């Protein structure tokens, strides 16, 4: 057995007479292991993509027969591994009765692993998920048999036999439910010979969407963009298109026309959404357009539904899948189109385990499957706009809202001139605007991207601040649950009655607002208003989110208060006023994308206002109303703002005009973290076209009990960072208990 790709050919014949087979396991090994093909394997012989069980030490593991040639760019190709003698090869145990992993997905796994410098087995683990578990056995149903002589007749039995005659076969539970009897009645008929057991034919898990079910009426820019996307989807082949349109311009309806064209070709579609919560409203719109719901793929699915969905994707019966970033690794049989909605969202970046950006990897997956990909946003990322400017991506633009609705008026409230009352956070200008909107029978929204009651709690007596014991972070008060929690590691403790440092009673005071505190103020200011809070801890899943959205649509809510979840593509036709409590919140810190992210987020929030006949108004509470971000939001000139952002980043080769790679050192002790970080700094690559910043303590210097240090490699866009990083890491041995994580193209700098 050896680690690494075989020297030549999948089935190289060793002296033992049995072919050598490369098998990649979903474990953190640097490559596939070689095994001998089993002597008694039934035909056909093992092929790349087959899912097999193999011995590994004293246990059995599930893996995938891998390709001998990995077809990676030279700069991504990992160094070859040493081989071992053929006589030491262990045989494959068995081939599982599972759909094989498609060749395009196998190439994608290799590419993602090489690009992110991750063990390919960890990437494969995301592709296998629960798919290798056996499908549930077909259910046993009951159908009518010839009634035996002397069968005792009762009304309950007659109902069961009548339903089984017209609707059978049905399971015992379903038959009993329809007849309004207990399952004992069904069992009695079966024992008497009046019902016979039959194996039921499994029903398709997903109804096939009809591309011609309910096409929308589009005109002008919408019709033109829809024609362009339909043509791309009908033609097939790899391409990337940015669909940019102001909020409320009908982008979803337009790209659904591309989905319809892809379905008409008999191909499958993958739609990526940045948040699970968005799936509820999106699936409703999809069902109205296509007469069937799509398959869902996200972390809230139970194991059985995940298994059913994985197999339906693999055999092609799931034609459209909408999901979070992990849907990228599903085994599509006939992938013909990828949609990335809200492509600018940072939620598409996977930060734990294998670090990758789903938007960028969607482009790679589309190339592997020779399929078009459509990136959708009202506020595209600077990276995507740079690709448009370079001619790599096509560009479709929608400048007006659908149905005659107008863009909302955006104004700033200078908090220096119109401050709130002492101890409050809403300016009188904003509270009066809300009062007037509610008085007109319209709906309002308050946005603050901060969960909980207060982000910081300190002691008025000694100044002690309540901090997480595992992280360099303050504990956030959640007053409704009477707890303090860390939003980084999940640590919780009850809110203490006294200061834990000086023991002064009733001395702890909240500093700053979260949505709970704003809700408290709103209830006091608008006592008759029907208020709904939308945050990740008040809406625990898609079902709760769907219920909240339905209540807003039915006009059961006057004022919505929420975090960034309220910014995501919702259509609330009666919402006319949006107030941003702290428009300056995202502008602090050293994040190079801070201004870009703030513009994108606040523009999305503003887009919830005035999406129907009534005009909308957006009020931004700010202490810096002359900041370029505020000026861009008021003017609506997103294009000029992004052009200025680009000009600021270009001279220093900051993304998208250069490449970044972060090295994050974490260790059990600060000494081990410092020693490893110093060793990395001393071994750092040198050159005119690159710069290494650090080592330095990470902004979150302790996270989940581990001490963290960071280094940042910056170079020109045309330089491949993977070979540099491999050589760099080869020169350094981490201290005991230390780990070095690599983040190519980092989004977060914490």
């Amino acid at each position: 057995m050896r680690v690494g790709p075989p020297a030549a050919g999948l089935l190289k014949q060793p002296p033992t007479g049995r072919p050598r087979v490369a098998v990649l396991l979903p474990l953190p090994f640097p490559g596939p292991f070689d095994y001998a093909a089993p002597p008694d394997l039934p035909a056909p012989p093992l092929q790349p993509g087959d899912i097999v069980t193999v011995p590994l030490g004293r246990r059995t593991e599930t893996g995938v027969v891998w390709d001998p040639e990995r077809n990676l760019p030279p700069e991504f190709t990992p160094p070859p591994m040493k081989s071992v003698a053929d006589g030491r090869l262990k045989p494959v145990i068995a081939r599982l009765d599972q759909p094989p992993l498609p060749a395009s997905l196998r190439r994608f796994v290799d590419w993602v692993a090489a690009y992110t410098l991750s063990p390919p087995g960890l990437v494969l683990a995301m592709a296998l998920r629960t798919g290798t578990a056996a499908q549930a056995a077909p259910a046993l149903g009951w159908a009518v048999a010839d009634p035996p002589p002397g069968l005792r007749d009762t009304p309950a039995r007659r109902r069961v036999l009548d339903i089984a005659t017209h609707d059978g076969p049905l399971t015992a539970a379903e038959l009993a439910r329809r007849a309004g009897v207990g399952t004992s009645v069904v069992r009695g008929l079966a024992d008497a010979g009046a019902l016979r057991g039959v194996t039921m034919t499994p029903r398709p898990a997903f109804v096939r969407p009809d591309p011609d079910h309910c096409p929308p009426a589009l005109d002008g820019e919408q019709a033109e963009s829809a024609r362009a996307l339909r043509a791309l989807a009908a033609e097939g082949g790899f391409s990337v298109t940015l669909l940019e349109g102001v909020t409320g311009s009908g982008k979803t309806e337009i790209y659904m026309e591309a989905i319809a064209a892809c379905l008409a070709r008999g191909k499958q579609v993958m739609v990526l959404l940045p948040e699970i919560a968005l799936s509820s409203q999106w699936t409703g719109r999809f069902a109205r357009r296509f007469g069937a719901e799509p398959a869902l793929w996200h972390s809230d699915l139970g194991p059985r539904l995940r298994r059913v969905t994985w197999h339906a994707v693999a055999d092609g019966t799931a034609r459209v899948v909408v999901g979070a970033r992990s849907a990228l690794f599903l085994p599509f049989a006939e992938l013909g189109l990828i949609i990335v909605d809200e492509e600018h969202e940072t939620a598409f970046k996977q930060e734990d385990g294998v670090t990758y950006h789903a938007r960028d990897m969607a482009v790679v997956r589309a190339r592997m499957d020779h399929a078009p990909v459509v990136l959708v946003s009202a506020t595209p990322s600077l990276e995507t706009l740079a690709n448009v400017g370079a001619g790599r991506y096509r560009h479709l633009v929608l400048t007006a809202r659908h149905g005659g609705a107008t863009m909302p008026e955006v104004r700033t409230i200078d908090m220096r001139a119109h401050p709130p009352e002492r101890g409050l956070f809403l300016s009188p200008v904003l509270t009066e605007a809300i009062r007037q909107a509610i008085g007109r029978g319209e709906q309002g929204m308050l946005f603050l991207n901060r969960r909980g009651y207060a982000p910081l709690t300190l002691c008025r007596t000694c100044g002690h601040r309540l901090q997480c014991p595992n992280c360099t972070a303050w504990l956030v008060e959640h007053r409704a649950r009477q707890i303090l929690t860390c939003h980084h590691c999940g640590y919780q403790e009850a809110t203490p009655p006294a200061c834990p440092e000086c023991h002064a009673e009733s001395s702890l005071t909240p500093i700053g607002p979260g949505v709970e505190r704003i809700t408290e103020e709103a209830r006091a200011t608008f006592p008759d208003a029907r208020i709904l809070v939308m945050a990740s801890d008040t809406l625990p899943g898609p079902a709760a989110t769907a219920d909240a959205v339905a209540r807003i649509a039915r006009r059961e809510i006057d004022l919505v208060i929420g975090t960034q979840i309220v910014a995501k593509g919702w259509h609330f036709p009666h919402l006319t006023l949006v107030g941003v409590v702290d428009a300056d919140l995202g502008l602090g810190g050293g994040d190079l994308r801070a201004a870009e992210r703030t513009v994108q987020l606040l523009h999305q929030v503003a887009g919830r206002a005035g999406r129907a006949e009534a005009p909308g108004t957006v009020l931004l509470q700010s202490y810096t109303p002359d900041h370029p971000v505020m000026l861009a939001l008021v003017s609506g000139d997103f294009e000029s703002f992004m052009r200025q952002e680009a000009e600021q980043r270009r001279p220093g080769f900051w993304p998208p005009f250069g490449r970044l790679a972060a090295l994050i050192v974490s260790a059990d002790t600060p000494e081990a973290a410092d020693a490893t970080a110093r060793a990395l700094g001393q071994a750092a690559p040198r050159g005119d076209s690159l710069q290494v910043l650090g080592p330095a303590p990470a902004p979150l210097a302790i996270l989940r009990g581990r001490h963290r240090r960071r280094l940042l490699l910056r170079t020109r866009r045309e330089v491949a960072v993977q070979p540099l990083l491999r050589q760099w890491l080869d020169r350094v041995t981490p201290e005991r208990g230390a780990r070095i994580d690599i983040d190519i193209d980092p989004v977060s700098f914490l």
Side-chain angles (χ1 to χ4, degrees):
M1 191 187 308
R2 67 154 179 86
V3 176
L10 170 70
L11 300 178
K12 183 179 178 181
Q13 198 80 7
T16 59
R18 282 186 280 163
R20 178 186 290 256
V21 180
V23 177
L24 185 62
L25 302 175
L27 297 167
F29 295 116
F33 285 80
D34 270 5
Y35 290 87
D40 54 351
L41 183 73
L46 289 174
Q47 295 295 325
D50 285 346
I51 299 176
V52 296
T53 55
V54 295
L56 183 68
R58 296 183 178 180
R59 66 184 192 271
T60 299
E61 292 288 344
T62 299
V64 178
V65 178
W66 216 244
D67 304 81
E69 301 295 335
R70 306 187 56 188
N71 296 318
L72 294 170
E75 63 271 20
F76 290 175
T77 303
M81 308 296 294
K82 292 182 179 180
S83 184
V84 298
D86 295 326
R88 297 177 58 192
L89 292 178
K90 295 182 179 180
V92 171
I93 296 173
R95 173 172 48 205
L96 298 182
D97 184 18
Q98 302 290 339
L101 252 59
S104 60
L105 179 55
R106 300 194 304 273
R107 291 195 300 272
F108 182 62
V109 167
D110 272 336
W111 201 98
V112 172
Y115 186 83
T116 62
L117 294 183
S118 302
L122 292 186
V123 184
L124 176 65
M126 296 189 291
L128 290 183
R129 296 292 181 181
T130 56
T132 55
Q135 286 279 56
L140 179 66
W142 295 98
V144 173
D146 292 333
L151 177 69
R152 186 168 60 89
D153 185 31
T154 67
R157 285 187 164 190
R158 281 198 301 272
R159 289 199 302 272
V160 170
L161 292 173
D162 184 60
I163 292 170
T165 300
H166 293 92
D167 298 336
L170 296 170
T171 65
E174 180 66 10
L175 193 53
R177 186 188 68 81
R178 294 194 189 187
V181 301
T183 55
S184 60
V185 178
V186 178
R187 288 196 300 270
L189 285 168
D191 293 341
L195 293 176
R196 57 186 175 87
V198 296
T199 300
M200 297 179 62
T201 302
R203 297 178 181 177
F206 303 101
V207 177
R208 183 177 288 262
D210 178 6
D212 300 318
H213 176 69
C214 187
L218 304 175
D219 55 19
E221 290 178 332
Q222 285 189 327
E224 184 178 345
S225 295
R227 278 194 297 271
L229 291 184
R230 276 197 300 261
L232 287 172
E235 180 183 350
F238 172 68
S239 66
V240 186
T241 302
L242 169 63
L243 177 60
E244 179 183 0
V246 298
T247 54
S249 58
K251 297 184 292 295
T252 304
E253 286 75 12
I254 291 168
Y255 73 64
M256 281 190 181
E257 293 309 287
I259 294 175
C262 184
L263 291 174
R265 287 180 61 217
K267 296 288 188 178
Q268 293 171 288
V269 182
M270 178 201 311
V271 181
L272 298 183
L273 301 179
E275 299 282 353
I276 295 173
L278 289 178
S279 63
S280 58
Q281 191 176 58
W282 194 95
T283 53
R285 296 170 76 173
F286 183 91
R288 289 191 293 273
R289 170 62 181 87
F290 294 101
E293 291 194 349
L296 297 178
W297 186 262
H298 52 69
S299 58
D300 273 8
L301 297 182
R304 179 187 174 280
L305 185 53
R306 290 178 72 85
R307 182 173 62 251
V308 168
T309 303
W310 193 94
H311 281 264
V313 172
D315 65 23
T317 55
R319 307 307 296 172
V320 179
V321 179
V322 56
R325 53 184 178 249
S326 59
L328 276 170
F329 298 93
L330 285 171
F332 285 90
E334 304 171 297
L335 185 58
L337 176 67
I338 300 178
I339 306 288
V340 183
D341 207 347
E342 309 289 2
E343 64 85 26
H344 64 277
E345 281 285 349
T346 57
F348 280 125
K349 181 63 187 279
Q350 170 74 32
E351 299 283 2
D352 297 324
V354 178
T355 58
Y356 66 93
H357 200 300
R359 176 199 62 215
D360 301 338
M361 295 304 105
V363 174
V364 176
R365 180 77 200 261
R367 184 185 292 115
M368 301 291 182
D369 283 272
H370 308 289
V373 57
V374 181
L375 310 179
V376 185
S377 178
T379 53
S381 63
L382 194 52
E383 284 80 2
T384 296
L385 291 173
N387 280 315
V388 168
R392 288 184 285 268
Y393 294 178
R394 308 179 192 196
H395 196 193
L396 301 174
V397 182
L398 304 167
T399 59
R401 282 186 157 180
H402 177 59
T406 58
M407 294 298 292
E409 177 190 8
V410 182
R411 303 197 304 267
T412 54
I413 299 174
D414 189 338
M415 297 294 278
R416 299 166 299 183
H418 305 284
E421 296 181 21
R422 184 176 178 84
L424 301 181
F425 300 94
L426 302 180
S427 167
V429 177
L430 179 55
T431 57
E432 180 58 27
I434 294 172
R435 187 173 288 109
Q436 291 180 9
I438 294 175
R440 293 191 299 268
E442 298 166 356
Q443 294 170 319
M445 175 184 288
L446 288 173
F447 171 76
L448 177 62
N449 197 22
R450 186 183 279 153
R451 290 181 290 152
Y453 186 84
L456 171 65
T457 302
L458 61 76
C459 175
R460 291 190 304 267
T461 302
C462 70
H464 175 70
R465 301 183 179 194
L466 299 185
Q467 182 173 332
C468 175
N470 307 316
C471 307
T472 311
W474 310 125
L475 290 174
V476 177
E477 180 184 1
H478 288 254
R479 185 160 293 187
R481 292 183 287 161
Q482 296 183 321
I483 62 169
L484 298 165
T485 186
C486 174
H487 288 170
H488 298 285
C489 72
Y491 170 84
Q492 292 183 357
E493 65 179 48
T495 304
C499 173
E501 184 71 18
C502 70
H503 308 293
E505 297 283 342
S506 304
S507 64
L508 297 177
T509 186
I511 305 297
V515 287
E516 287 185 18
R517 198 169 190 181
I518 296 302
T519 302
E520 181 181 85
E521 181 176 339
R523 293 193 191 282
T525 306
F526 314 108
D528 297 326
R530 298 167 297 178
I531 296 175
L532 173 71
V533 180
M534 293 183 69
S536 59
D537 45 4
T538 64
L539 300 175
T545 304
D547 179 67
V549 170
R551 292 178 63 199
I552 297 170
R554 293 194 300 264
R555 307 184 78 167
E556 297 174 5
I557 303 299
D558 300 312
L559 181 62
V560 181
I561 301 174
T563 59
Q564 62 179 351
I565 194 173
V566 302
K568 315 291 187 183
W570 306 114
H571 179 71
F572 302 135
H574 308 292
L575 196 151
T576 60
L577 178 71
V578 169
V580 178
V581 176
D582 187 355
D584 308 323
L585 180 60
L587 297 176
D591 188 344
L592 70 95
R593 297 183 179 90
E596 177 189 355
R597 288 179 180 173
T598 303
V599 159
Q600 290 166 337
L601 178 60
L602 297 188
H603 183 82
Q604 292 285 337
V605 174
R608 300 317 102 206
R611 295 172 68 96
E613 295 80 9
T617 302
V618 180
L619 299 177
L620 310 173
Q621 293 192 160
S622 173
Y623 288 93
T624 57
D626 295 328
H627 193 284
V629 166
M630 304 306 153
L631 297 178
L633 290 166
V634 170
S635 67
D637 193 353
F638 177 77
E639 182 179 354
S640 294
F641 173 82
M642 294 302 279
R643 192 163 49 244
Q644 293 171 10
E645 275 288 297
E647 292 309 311
Q648 290 178 11
R649 296 191 204 174
R650 194 187 306 270
F653 301 105
W654 294 103
F657 309 106
R659 295 196 180 279
L660 295 180
L663 281 73
I664 303 99
V665 177
S666 63
D668 299 327
T669 66
E671 293 79 14
D674 287 333
T676 304
R678 279 196 304 270
L680 281 170
Q682 293 166 1
R686 307 281 193 276
D688 295 336
S689 62
L690 59 88
Q691 180 184 18
V692 174
L693 306 175
L700 280 174
I702 305 175
L703 181 63
R704 302 183 185 95
R706 291 181 66 82
H707 299 263
R708 304 169 73 245
R709 309 291 183 262
R710 290 182 66 99
L711 299 93
L712 190 67
L713 172 68
R714 180 178 59 164
T715 186
R716 296 176 184 269
R717 183 176 178 83
E718 63 271 15
V719 176
V721 299
Q722 286 80 5
L724 293 172
L725 291 168
R726 282 198 199 95
Q727 296 167 12
W728 187 2
L729 294 173
D730 285 345
R731 295 194 290 266
V732 175
T733 301
E735 294 288 316
R736 184 181 179 86
R739 185 179 71 237
I740 303 172
D741 292 314
I742 308 297
D743 186 359
I744 308 290
D745 308 324
V747 169
S748 170
F749 294 90
L750 294 178

